[in-house]
């Protein structure tokens, strides 16, 4: 059993790795200007999202940032954020607040995708 697992891990480590991880097929890597554009847009979009969630929940941006999970590790950022804010506040958020946060998250994701697309056209 151990040997099978070790062999499987060895085979997986020998698989070819794509030149740019996370890059869509057929798309060249972004140049420095595109990378800077996406980074600046992402910060602006994230700041707006945090401010919007703080407004919806009646908390501060600091509390929202503290409750936010790592986007790269969690599949449902908004649901994890809602749960963390409820713990932080000691009370459940209303269905309306939850719906507003989910919509703000959808808009955030859409804006991030548009920023990446816009960078590709620069």
């Amino acid at each position: 059993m151990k040997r099978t697992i070790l062999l499987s891990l060895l085979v997986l480590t020998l698989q070819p790795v794509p030149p740019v991880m996370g890059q869509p097929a057929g798309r060249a890597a972004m140049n420095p200007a595109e990378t800077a554009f996406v980074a600046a847009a992402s910060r602006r979009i994230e700041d707006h999202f945090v401010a919007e969630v703080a407004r919806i929940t009646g908390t501060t941006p600091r509390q929202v940032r503290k409750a936010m999970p790592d986007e790269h590790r969690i599949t449902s950022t908004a649901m994890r954020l809602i749960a963390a804010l409820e713990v932080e506040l000691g009370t459940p958020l209303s269905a309306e607040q939850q719906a507003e946060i989910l919509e703000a998250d959808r808009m955030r994701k859409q804006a991030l995708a548009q920023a990446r697309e816009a960078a590709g056209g620069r």
Side-chain angles (χ1 to χ4, degrees):
M1 176 82 168
K2 278 185 176 180
R3 187 173 184 194
T4 304
I5 292 172
L6 289 173
L7 286 174
S8 297
L9 289 174
L10 180 62
V11 169
L12 289 174
T13 59
L14 295 177
Q15 295 294 320
V17 178
V20 180
M21 298 290 290
Q23 194 71 28
R27 166 85 167 100
M30 287 190 284
N31 67 40
E34 292 169 336
T35 301
F37 172 81
V38 171
S42 295
R43 278 190 302 276
R44 180 183 48 76
I45 292 163
E46 293 295 333
D47 287 347
H48 177 74
F49 174 72
V50 167
E52 189 64 13
V53 172
R55 180 195 63 76
I56 292 166
T57 59
T59 59
T60 65
R62 182 172 177 258
Q63 286 175 297
V64 173
R65 285 195 190 281
K66 180 180 171 189
M68 282 185 69
D70 181 8
E71 175 76 21
H72 302 289
R73 296 171 68 190
I74 305 298
T75 57
S76 179
T77 303
M79 294 308 294
R80 293 294 296 255
L81 175 59
I82 289 167
L85 283 170
E86 288 176 336
V87 168
E88 173 82 19
L89 297 171
T91 183
L93 297 175
S94 71
E96 183 178 321
Q97 287 174 311
Q98 291 182 23
E100 287 184 55
I101 291 171
L102 291 171
E103 177 62 15
D105 186 53
R106 186 189 68 74
M107 297 297 290
R108 177 186 67 88
K109 289 177 182 175
Q110 181 180 353
L112 288 169
Q114 288 173 343
R116 285 189 293 273
E117 288 174 18
R122 293 180 149 261

